[in-house]
Amino acid sequence: AQKITQTQPGMFVQEKEAVTLDCTYDTSDQSYGLFWYKQPSSGEMIFLIYQGSYDEQNATEGRYSLNFQKARKSANLVISASQLGDSAMYFCAMREVYTSGTYKYIFGTGTRLKVLA
Amino acid sequence: DSGVTQTPKHLITATGQRVTLRCSPRSGDLSVYWYQQSLDQGLQFLIQYYNGEERAKGNILERFSAQQFPDLHSELNLSSLELGDSALYFCASSPTPGGGTDTQYFGPGTRLTVL
């Protein structure tokens, strides 16, 4: 079973509008972390936002917010006021326990976002 | 700029050859992670080092090996290269072994092409 599922391979959004990128996860751990990364066409992976499993508030970082619904095991990324520079591939990732004292990061397959002028 | 550096940026080599990829973590980070990103496999975790010691091992082939040196830079060695090893190889670093609010920051990647 997929641990991280991103069901939207590609999305379009109009400039200045908000967009939600979906991510669902599967883990039996109580303590885990959820991350979003952006990968522009240049290839680098840019950290955007982090949500801990025990955090009660949704994480926010500037125009990025993470809509965390623990019971539904979803961690959707919301980008407000989209900009042309937001066009990129977006990856959802989860950190869970690997063995005692070690952790592993699992990445989804990504969503390619295109912002239209 | 994440502060993580990787060299070289591009590498073209032939099947059967051996290459070494280098990574310098962000200042103060003790953990280094290696990932392989290919079109058909997505982003796959290979291996993690923390303060010079192997910490966690993922989907790393036996033909691949890595180490972290006392100055905390890391090298990923790929040998007996095959066409399927062509991929973007990322290094990431973080301050701790993991857990809590520990966050990975990625380098720019090394694009390996095996001909």
Side-chain angles (χ1 to χ4, degrees):
Chain A
Q2 293 290 331
K3 287 274 194 173
I4 294 284
T5 302
Q6 294 181 254
T7 57
Q8 307 151 313
M11 288 191 71
F12 291 94
V13 65
Q14 206 65 41
E15 194 179 9
K16 299 180 185 176
E17 291 187 351
V19 62
T20 298
L21 307 183
D22 294 342
C23 173
T24 58
Y25 60 92
D26 181 25
T27 183
S28 56
D29 289 355
Q30 295 301 308
S31 177
Y32 51 90
L34 297 159
F35 303 80
W36 278 91
Y37 287 86
K38 172 184 177 181
Q39 187 175 38
S41 57
S42 52
E44 73 268 33
M45 293 281 284
I46 303 167
F47 165 71
L48 296 178
I49 197 165
Y50 163 81
Q51 178 86 40
S53 58
Y54 293 119
D55 295 340
E56 294 187 354
Q57 302 280 343
N58 286 341
T60 60
E61 289 287 348
R63 294 185 300 108
Y64 304 107
S65 60
L66 198 152
N67 185 0
F68 181 46
Q69 297 189 42
K70 195 169 182 177
R72 299 176 64 178
K73 294 190 175 179
S74 76
N76 298 339
L77 177 71
V78 180
I79 306 174
S80 62
S82 296
Q83 302 171 356
L84 295 178
D86 294 333
S87 294
M89 194 77 153
Y90 288 81
F91 290 95
C92 178
M94 175 175 66
R95 182 194 61 227
E96 61 175 3
V97 173
Y98 188 49
T99 62
S100 177
T102 71
Y103 302 85
K104 62 179 176 179
Y105 286 75
I106 304 160
F107 285 75
T109 52
T111 295
R112 186 170 298 282
L113 177 67
K114 174 73 174 172
V115 180
L116 304 173
Chain B
D1 186 347
S2 67
V4 180
T5 61
Q6 288 186 249
T7 56
K9 195 167 178 61
H10 300 278
L11 199 48
I12 301 174
T13 189
T15 54
Q17 295 297 304
R18 173 189 170 93
V19 298
T20 297
L21 313 184
R22 182 188 169 103
C23 168
S24 292
R26 293 188 319 159
S27 177
D29 285 356
L30 298 179
S31 269
V32 170
Y33 304 78
W34 286 98
Y35 289 88
Q36 179 193 58
Q37 186 180 34
S38 60
L39 285 174
D40 57 342
Q41 293 286 326
L43 197 65
Q44 298 285 319
F45 166 65
L46 296 178
I47 197 164
Q48 177 200 3
Y49 279 82
Y50 175 73
N51 205 20
E53 294 192 3
E54 183 182 303
R55 187 79 182 184
K57 193 177 261 193
N59 302 324
I60 189 166
L61 299 172
E62 285 192 10
R63 300 184 286 109
F64 297 180
S65 64
Q67 54 185 324
Q68 186 179 30
F69 295 86
D71 66 352
L72 300 177
H73 91 271
S74 177
E75 292 181 357
L76 178 67
N77 300 296
L78 314 176
S79 61
S80 302
L81 285 167
E82 301 174 359
L83 296 177
D85 297 327
S86 296
L88 188 54
Y89 290 84
F90 283 108
C91 164
S93 75
S94 71
T96 77
T101 59
D102 191 69
T103 297
Q104 294 184 1
Y105 291 88
F106 282 74
T110 293
R111 185 166 295 281
L112 173 67
T113 302
V114 182
L115 301 176

